[in-house]
Amino acid sequence: LSVKASSYADELVKTAKSIASPGRGILAMDESNATCGKRLDSIGLENTEANRQAYRTLLVSAPGLGQYVSGAILFEETLYQSTSDGKKMVDVLVEQNIMPGIKVDKGLVPLAGSNNESWCQGLDGLATRSAAYYQQGARFAKWRTVVSIPNGPSALAVKEAAWGLARYASISQDNGLVPIVEPEILLDGEHGIDRTFEVANKVWAEVFYYLTENNVMFEGILLKPSMVTPGAECRDRASPQQVAGYTLRLLRQRIPPAVPGIMFLSGGQSEVEATLNLNAMNQAPNPWHVSFSYARALQNTCLKTWGGRPENVQAAQETLLLRAKSNSLAQLGKYTE
Ligand code: 13P
């Protein structure tokens, strides 16, 4: 552990534990301006700062959200932004007992020398940015890199993904931010669930190898894995019990119990599917807090219900709360359809 990270060690452990508290998970609302533009376009809205602000205001101020949500991941714009009625977004979250987090990666670009795969940028200047984000109220960070099964994955792409995550995690801890470690294994492809398991096993082995090499403190990180499912175009579908069985087997083989929280991404699953899969994973006690860090599976219906109309804000917030409450119950293994 580096000297500076050790000065934050107690705080990192506390932050991670509070995010991984029973019955709560993370609202991922950190879409980049480009991705947020696509979401707004789907409801016929222009991608302006005012529209992004109106939508994010709706999300952070949903009454009672903090009962089900312990952390919210923000894009940089939102971390420094005020709500439409002039309060700091960060302050609204803290009042709701929700910890603000920040997406710190700079996105994916082609990985030269690979099989059309990508790597994740953002290490240059990351220490300086992380210190500024902490000052601004962020207490955890997210770095999302991806691994593609149909395109390989090549040994080069897996190593690059794992190394980048480990450098980012170390720099985050050095600056007081709990790193969410997210190697997303993309759903795209015709492969079956066994192939996903095999790739995920290799990816997590390398991620933990490099986390250790970089002296990252496991008690002060959170993971954001993909669930182990068949490829999106695979004809054999898997039940929530099968997804839970494969995913938990993977976690038990690869993830030390010192890691406080496993916060799954939804990765294009439907809202109900994501809830059912999480619920199935929580039918028996786990060594870690197994929960959610969903974007689409919390927001899809909410966004559609809003449709950009002020008169629909309350109804939209109610749909967000319904998804958040359902996933909260699923975290406790108590969700019923
Ligand atoms: P989805 O839940 O929509 O996959 O998004 C989560 C996320 O933050 C991906 O990085």
Side-chain angles (χ1 to χ4, degrees), residues 3-333:
V3 175
K4 201 168 160 217
S6 67
S7 70
Y8 280 113
D10 293 346
E11 185 182 340
L12 292 168
V13 171
K14 241 174 98 186
T15 300
K17 266 200 195 133
S18 117
I19 292 171
S21 59
R24 298 205 297 166
I26 294 176
L27 167 62
M29 48 176 289
D30 59 322
E31 296 84 2
S32 64
N33 285 353
T35 304
C36 193
K38 284 186 215 155
R39 305 282 186 266
L40 292 173
D41 186 60
S42 76
I43 55 166
L45 284 193
E46 240 187 284
N47 189 15
T48 60
E49 187 179 346
N51 284 338
R52 293 192 296 272
Q53 178 191 40
Y55 181 54
R56 266 76 183 250
T57 298
L58 178 164
L59 296 177
V60 301
S61 53
L65 189 64
Q67 194 182 337
Y68 314 119
V69 167
S70 51
I73 318 173
L74 309 178
F75 189 60
E76 192 178 57
E77 175 180 274
T78 320
L79 184 72
Y80 291 92
Q81 203 171 35
S82 294
T83 60
S84 307
D85 41 8
K87 284 175 104 175
K88 283 194 164 170
M89 296 268 188
V90 168
D91 292 345
V92 176
L93 287 170
V94 171
E95 277 166 27
Q96 297 240 55
N97 192 26
I98 299 173
M99 246 184 220
I102 174 78
K103 170 187 172 75
V104 300
D105 66 76
K106 293 284 186 185
L108 302 162
V109 284
L111 177 63
S114 74
N115 187 23
N116 273 327
E117 297 165 270
S118 20
W119 70 290
C120 182
Q121 302 185 113
L123 291 177
D124 285 359
L126 181 58
T128 313
R129 284 196 290 128
S130 300
Y133 296 148
Y134 184 97
Q135 284 300 316
Q136 192 61 22
R139 288 296 176 268
F140 69 102
K142 161 185 146 176
W143 174 284
R144 170 184 179 258
T145 191
V146 302
V147 172
S148 159
I149 295 182
N151 288 10
S154 65
L156 172 68
V158 173
K159 184 184 279 192
E160 172 56 38
W163 178 257
L165 283 165
R167 287 303 313 139
Y168 138 78
S170 173
I171 294 167
S172 297
Q173 288 193 335
D174 217 26
N175 289 283
L177 302 177
V178 167
I180 296 186
V181 176
E182 181 181 5
E184 176 168 354
I185 296 168
L186 296 170
L187 271 180
D188 313 60
E190 296 177 357
H191 53 275
I193 195 166
D194 287 299
R195 175 70 182 142
T196 309
F197 181 89
E198 183 186 14
V199 170
N201 208 280
K202 173 80 187 138
V203 167
W204 282 107
E206 291 219 24
V207 168
F208 273 91
Y209 175 77
Y210 288 118
L211 287 173
T212 308
E213 291 252 295
N214 282 275
N215 301 310
V216 171
M217 181 181 63
F218 294 167
E219 297 93 326
I221 64 174
L222 295 166
L223 305 185
K224 182 156 170 166
S226 313
M227 295 179 198
V228 179
T229 66
E233 289 88 44
C234 177
R235 260 170 303 169
D236 295 328
R237 303 315 303 162
S239 67
Q241 289 68 30
Q242 282 170 311
V243 171
Y246 273 85
T247 307
L248 290 176
R249 181 151 65 91
L250 168 75
L251 298 180
R252 282 194 298 264
Q253 286 183 8
R254 288 290 175 261
I255 313 301
V259 174
I262 317 279
M263 322 299 288
F264 283 97
L265 60 93
S266 61
Q269 297 178 27
S270 75
E271 290 175 335
V272 172
E273 203 181 351
T275 304
L276 287 172
N277 287 340
L278 180 62
N279 190 59
M281 284 190 278
N282 284 302
Q283 291 311 299
N286 289 306
W288 339 260
H289 172 84
V290 173
S291 191
F292 59 91
S293 176
Y294 297 160
R296 284 164 289 177
L298 282 170
Q299 293 184 45
N300 279 350
T301 304
C302 172
L303 178 72
K304 266 189 227 135
T305 306
W306 177 49
R309 295 167 186 274
E311 64 270 27
N312 294 343
V313 164
Q314 198 185 330
Q317 288 175 329
E318 280 162 16
T319 65
L320 173 67
L321 285 168
L322 175 66
R323 289 317 328 144
K325 183 178 179 185
S326 302
N327 288 308
S328 163
L329 288 167
Q331 198 292 308
L332 301 166

